[in-house]
Amino acid sequence: MDIEKLARKDVQALTPYMSARRLGGSGDVWLNANESPFNNEYTINGAGLNRYSTCQPEELIRAYAEYAGVRPEQVLTSRGADESIELLVRTFCETGEDSILFCPPTYGMYSISAETAGVARKTVPLTDEWQLNLPEIEKNLDTVKLVFVCSPNNPTGNLIDRNDIEALLEMTAGRALVVMDEAYIDFCPEASTVDLLVRYPNLAILRTLSKAFALAGLRCGFTLANQQIIQLMQKVIAPYPVPVPVTEIACQALNEAGLARMKYQVLDLNANRAYLQAGLSMLPGVEVFDGYGNYLLVKFPDAELLFTALWDNGIILRRSPIEGCIRISVGNREECEKTLTFIRQQLA
């Protein structure tokens, strides 16, 4: 019996998202997954593990709402922002009828989440300046229920123009939700769209503790939206999405001391990003694009040759879908220095 034939046709044909861990590698410098280099310590009580967790732990919701500057009823927590993407697709898109729209080059999980749910995908590529192509988006809104926009965008690192975001929200009012993926916004909080929630009921914002909070292994994310969107998503979410230890650690990360530590580490990473950008920009034939997250997109004369040399020498970076480019996560200063030194030697 061929078990694969029992699977949905969409799943049979699916190419899974190739995360950094799936791609593997072997080395001592890991700058391929936009993780934080800081390994912060937390304490876990461990009490009550014989009981199921609360679906939406009040203390965690309250803590993140205070940090984000919204009301608790505007917050939903989930297993990373990736689960939020899936929840939005399952909540708002009818299989075989509705579509999502996203603007490549951008994060690959928007497409995967829709495909696994049997929801059609429309793409409107970013402009040459990596900004929204609003006229083309408007032409393609038929059947679209969700428009995903990532800012800072992964993998390009740039911010999406604020006026264009507002124009998109106006354009989609009453027709679709605009989902702003702000996974990297803690590195540039002034660029957040959270203040637009009071004006646009069709706005949803994705957040995570994986990046600036150095908790990629915790799998804790958030959706910020108006109360009606949150209530609808709560109908779809799994019964116990937040393990008790996750709540304990996340609340510690969001207390006064945790927030102070995060902000200090963000300053350190932003300084290391500037160091990498300055050093790489001085190399012949290298183009470094402005980045606002904890990573940089860099164009090299022979990116594949360089990537392979780095990989073979234990410096694990990330191939980019953009021709000639490599994405480099920002690590600690030692990791950045080692990476820059190796690249200098290869290009000499």
Side-chain angles (χ1 to χ4, degrees):
M1 180 180 182
D2 188 351
I3 297 296
E4 186 172 339
K5 291 181 178 179
L6 297 177
R8 288 173 35 222
K9 291 181 180 178
D10 288 343
V11 174
Q12 292 180 40
L14 180 68
T15 300
Y17 179 72
M18 296 307 295
S19 67
R21 289 297 168 268
R22 280 192 171 187
L23 290 169
S26 177
D28 56 1
V29 177
W30 291 82
L31 302 180
N32 65 333
N34 296 347
E35 300 157 322
S36 172
F38 297 103
N39 188 15
N40 301 319
E41 294 186 0
Y42 296 91
T43 59
I44 299 176
N45 184 300
L49 293 180
N50 59 313
R51 304 296 183 188
Y52 289 115
S53 60
T54 305
C55 179
Q56 294 293 292
E58 183 179 347
E59 64 271 36
L60 177 55
I61 295 296
R62 187 172 59 249
Y64 198 82
E66 184 174 349
Y67 168 67
V70 297
R71 301 188 306 277
E73 57 267 28
Q74 293 178 289
V75 180
L76 180 135
T77 187
S78 58
R79 290 165 287 198
D82 288 332
E83 186 179 29
S84 292
I85 296 169
E86 290 193 3
L87 289 172
L88 285 163
V89 171
R90 289 166 52 206
T91 301
F92 291 98
C93 296
E94 294 281 2
T95 300
E97 295 181 19
D98 297 326
S99 311
I100 71 162
L101 186 149
F102 56 95
C103 304
T106 193
Y107 185 41
M109 278 306 297
Y110 313 139
S111 178
I112 298 293
S113 294
E115 192 171 2
T116 55
V119 172
R121 297 150 294 151
K122 293 186 177 184
T123 59
V124 176
L126 296 173
T127 66
D128 291 342
E129 293 76 33
W130 291 333
Q131 294 296 326
L132 299 178
N133 188 334
L134 290 174
E136 286 301 312
I137 290 175
E138 190 166 25
K139 291 178 185 176
N140 284 275
L141 282 179
D142 185 46
T143 76
V144 169
K145 287 287 188 68
L146 300 170
V147 180
F148 287 93
V149 179
C150 190
S151 182
N153 186 43
N154 178 16
T156 59
N158 66 294
L159 294 172
I160 301 299
D161 184 87
R162 166 89 173 201
N163 292 331
D164 288 351
I165 294 170
E166 293 193 48
L168 179 62
L169 285 161
E170 296 281 357
M171 182 191 302
T172 54
R175 303 176 63 181
L177 299 187
V178 173
V179 184
M180 292 299 305
D181 187 341
E182 293 189 348
Y184 301 95
I185 205 65
D186 306 289
F187 296 97
C188 51
E190 69 282 355
S192 176
T193 56
V194 71
D195 61 299
L196 297 179
L197 287 171
V198 297
R199 291 168 48 196
Y200 296 101
N202 62 322
L203 171 63
I205 299 172
L206 306 181
R207 295 283 191 88
T208 183
L209 299 187
S210 294
K211 312 302 181 182
F213 284 88
L215 285 171
L218 194 67
R219 308 311 301 130
C220 184
F222 301 90
T223 305
L224 311 179
N226 72 64
Q227 188 174 2
Q228 192 174 14
I229 291 174
I230 298 300
Q231 289 174 341
L232 287 167
M233 293 176 71
Q234 286 178 340
K235 292 183 176 183
V236 178
I237 198 168
Y240 313 110
V242 189
V244 171
V246 169
T247 298
E248 288 187 27
I249 293 172
C251 286
Q252 291 174 53
L254 290 163
N255 67 22
E256 185 177 357
L259 289 173
R261 178 174 60 189
M262 179 274 288
K263 291 174 183 177
Y264 174 81
Q265 292 174 351
V266 162
L267 289 173
D268 190 57
L269 290 172
N270 283 347
N272 289 347
R273 184 185 65 213
Y275 164 81
L276 263 181
Q277 183 165 6
L280 290 167
S281 296
M282 297 173 63
L283 301 178
V286 174
E287 182 178 5
V288 186
F289 300 98
D290 288 338
Y292 293 85
N294 63 333
Y295 55 95
L296 286 170
L297 185 70
V298 188
K299 190 170 187 178
F300 293 99
D302 192 334
E304 185 57 32
L305 186 66
L306 176 61
F307 179 90
T308 301
L310 286 155
W311 183 283
D312 290 344
N313 283 270
I315 301 175
I316 311 302
L317 307 184
R318 179 82 169 187
R319 286 186 176 92
S320 169
I322 301 168
E323 186 177 356
C325 292
I326 298 173
R327 194 192 71 187
I328 307 175
S329 303
V330 178
N332 60 37
R333 184 53 66 97
E334 181 182 356
E335 291 170 325
C336 292
E337 288 176 351
K338 184 173 181 178
T339 301
L340 181 57
T341 298
F342 187 89
I343 293 173
R344 279 185 180 137
Q345 293 170 347
Q346 292 296 302
L347 299 184

